Amino acid sequence: MSPSHKLPKDFIWGFATAAFQVEGSANVDGRGKSIWDDFAKLPGKTLDGGNGDVATDSYRLWKEDIALLASYGVRSYRFSISWSRVIPLGGRNDPVNQAGIDFYSKFVDELLAHGIQPFVTLYHWDLPQGLQDRYGGWLNKDEIVKDFTNYAKICFEALGDRVEHWLTINEPWCCAILGHGRGVFAPGRSSDRSRNPEGDSSTEPWIVAHHIILAHAHAVKLYRDEYKSTQKGQIGITLNGDWALPYDNTPENIAAAQHALDFAIGEYPFSYADPVYLGFYPPYMREVLGDRMPDFTEEEWSVVKGSSDFYGMNTYTTNLCRAGGEDEFQGNVDYTFTRPDGSQLGNQAHCAWLQDYPDGFRQLLNYIWKRYKMPIYVTENGFAVKGENDIPVEEAVKDYDRIHYFQGTTKALLDAINVDGVDIRSYFPWSLLDNFEWADGYTTRFGITYVDYETQKRYPKESARFLVKWFTEHEDSETAARLDKLKRKTTNGSSSTTIANGSVSSKADTKLPCGHEEGSPATQQRWGIRATFMKFIAAILAFIR
Ligand code: GBH
């Protein structure tokens, strides 16, 4: 493969998860409640009535999950820290839970021992319930900014000597709009009294969004002032945003697509990227929101502007945009996947909001690069195969629609880098595991690994095989050599099994890549021969010794 078809030097790839979606063990080792604990248990909040009490049981199965990552041969793992494990009640004067810190500390050590770089999110939507109860959580500027900064400080202190990549907050749009506008996510606030007992959708989302940006910015300032010079890491925010195409060539729909981007990349009805990277809100936001739009003081702006070392990007799809519509949260733009001629933009996923359209990914990467001129870390990208939850595991692991999606996005990624010249530094498919998909419960599966929720067994899907092979083949050879050395050094001379090339080194265990004794019939067959061979070699070695 010619060098121009490779990924750039030091490119980071791996898989992603979030604490509440995988950890479970809600009442274990001193963890306090998060706002998702009780919310998920209210009738009608999740599609299947699922909650986070067990999830993929990853708090208990953490070593198996890391062994699975190692078997895939990833270079990095993006996971999030549960704030209420570290500070059960959440606040700056509340007790710190050493058991929580110890858990993440040994987790980071184990990752590093396998040559896997931790890529850590501080906040992926699981606010301590204690702070929601005490002062309304994100609605209270003075308290939440101080408490989040204090929580961040504890994490930098405890893990910053080993963590080189920090994300402050995952997708503020979702906390603001889904949590305080539509009321479909915790804490479940909106003006819709048939849905939520409290809230004001016309003001709270903007207030919350505003405070999130400020809390993020203060955590970054703290890191830069007190830790960066010694810990030498990168820190930033990660934003959701999908590409927007005009529905047709009419001027109003072309304008609608730009408005969707202002509200989206700028983050839907509330631009996050413009304030963080450019130091202002998009004028269109002000036009729509008028005096409901909060503003920062000059002093606040000086903390907010430039408060991210990179552009953290979570993106999944592309929307066709039509002017009109009542939905302020989408910038009064209607979304569709159906073109004027009736055809679909791409393959439909299990969730209504997602279709496969890789060219949109490439265009979005270009748009962000031109607008913000920041290196881009793609921190989430993925697909939920339609009906995957309704078929047996043997079929679910043959996830060809997901492979199709990733074939498209990996090619788009490479073209954006090598043809368009966009500075992209990481790619994390969502998700390592099928997991608790928020309001969808467990009905929607985003994993590249299938999880049987009854047994908690993990089964690599075909898409995992595709991705691992693709990234292994496209890694720059110097980077690969450097990272392999790290792995060999830290794993005591043995490189672990990777599913990319199927090679098994001398000291690698004979376990399946799913980290359990057995896999699906298909997986069993594939690994059975290799395992038998390994046992044979091990027996000979034992005999010689
Ligand atoms: C990510 O958000 C999350 O970070 C992750 O936790 C989650 O598991 C993953 O997506 C898969 O969903 O039609 O109004 O309900 C992705 C961004 C923004 C995509 C909200 C879905 C639904 C809008 N999400 N969007 S709505």
Side-chain angles (χ1 to χ4, degrees), residues 331-389:
N332 295 332
V333 171
D334 264 345
Y335 289 168
T336 178
F337 291 129
T338 308
R339 294 194 185 87
D341 68 4
S343 65
Q344 293 295 292
L345 192 66
N347 280 344
Q348 179 63 48
H350 192 73
C351 16
W353 55 268
L354 174 51
Q355 284 199 355
D356 179 354
Y357 188 70
D359 193 50
F361 180 43
R362 181 170 171 185
Q363 291 188 48
L364 177 64
L365 289 163
N366 274 276
Y367 177 87
I368 296 296
W369 173 236
K370 286 200 190 93
R371 188 171 174 88
Y372 301 113
K373 300 175 185 68
M374 296 297 281
I376 298 170
Y377 286 77
V378 180
T379 44
E380 273 181 41
N381 188 228
F383 192 80
V385 176
K386 203 170 167 56
E388 204 174 82
N389 193 42

Side-chain angles (χ1 to χ4, degrees), residues 85-158:
R85 265 192 213 289
V86 174
I87 312 170
L89 290 172
R92 57 199 181 280
N93 299 315
D94 294 323
V96 172
N97 179 29
Q98 192 57 41
I101 294 179
D102 291 347
F103 172 74
Y104 293 109
S105 187
K106 71 185 180 191
F107 194 87
V108 165
D109 282 343
E110 180 80 2
L111 285 172
L112 291 170
H114 287 84
I116 301 168
Q117 299 295 313
F119 207 109
V120 183
T121 313
L122 291 171
Y123 185 78
H124 201 123
W125 309 350
D126 46 354
L127 186 80
Q129 182 69 47
L131 302 184
Q132 191 68 40
D133 295 344
R134 192 178 295 162
Y135 56 69
W138 290 108
L139 286 164
N140 187 322
K141 175 162 98 177
D142 291 339
E143 296 292 336
I144 198 70
V145 170
K146 288 189 188 123
D147 283 345
F148 180 71
T149 310
N150 170 69
Y151 160 59
K153 185 181 172 73
I154 290 171
C155 295
F156 301 149
E157 287 280 342

Side-chain angles (χ1 to χ4, degrees), residues 107-261:
F107 194 87
V108 165
D109 282 343
E110 180 80 2
L111 285 172
L112 291 170
H114 287 84
I116 301 168
Q117 299 295 313
F119 207 109
V120 183
T121 313
L122 291 171
Y123 185 78
H124 201 123
W125 309 350
D126 46 354
L127 186 80
Q129 182 69 47
L131 302 184
Q132 191 68 40
D133 295 344
R134 192 178 295 162
Y135 56 69
W138 290 108
L139 286 164
N140 187 322
K141 175 162 98 177
D142 291 339
E143 296 292 336
I144 198 70
V145 170
K146 288 189 188 123
D147 283 345
F148 180 71
T149 310
N150 170 69
Y151 160 59
K153 185 181 172 73
I154 290 171
C155 295
F156 301 149
E157 287 280 342
L159 309 172
D161 56 336
R162 289 155 290 157
V163 172
E164 284 175 22
H165 292 91
W166 294 100
L167 295 169
T168 51
I169 289 170
N170 181 75
E171 301 185 352
W173 184 88
C174 294
C175 315
I177 306 304
L178 303 180
H180 298 78
R182 300 204 208 284
V184 293
F185 278 13
R189 296 178 64 86
S190 78
S191 297
D192 180 352
R193 288 290 162 266
S194 69
R195 187 189 285 280
N196 308 114
E198 284 175 35
D200 180 350
S201 306
S202 71
T203 54
E204 288 187 5
W206 325 125
I207 295 170
V208 164
H210 199 67
H211 298 168
I212 289 179
I213 296 184
L214 206 55
H216 143 81
H218 276 276
V220 171
K221 181 174 172 1
L222 172 78
Y223 186 77
R224 288 176 177 166
D225 289 352
E226 292 183 27
Y227 298 95
K228 197 172 169 109
S229 65
T230 51
Q231 299 187 346
K232 310 220 179 317
Q234 301 283 313
I235 187 165
I237 195 166
T238 198
L239 306 176
N240 58 303
D242 294 326
W243 185 238
L245 284 175
Y247 175 70
D248 56 23
N249 283 330
T250 59
E252 64 270 25
N253 289 338
I254 291 172
Q258 185 55 48
H259 289 157
L261 285 176

Side-chain angles (χ1 to χ4, degrees), residues 393-422:
V393 53
E394 294 79 2
E395 278 167 44
V397 295
K398 295 177 198 150
D399 55 339
Y400 300 125
D401 278 3
R402 187 176 285 103
I403 293 178
H404 186 267
Y405 179 91
F406 284 126
Q407 276 171 337
T409 52
T410 48
K411 181 169 188 316
L413 178 79
L414 203 61
D415 287 346
I417 294 169
N418 289 328
V419 180
D420 309 334
V422 181

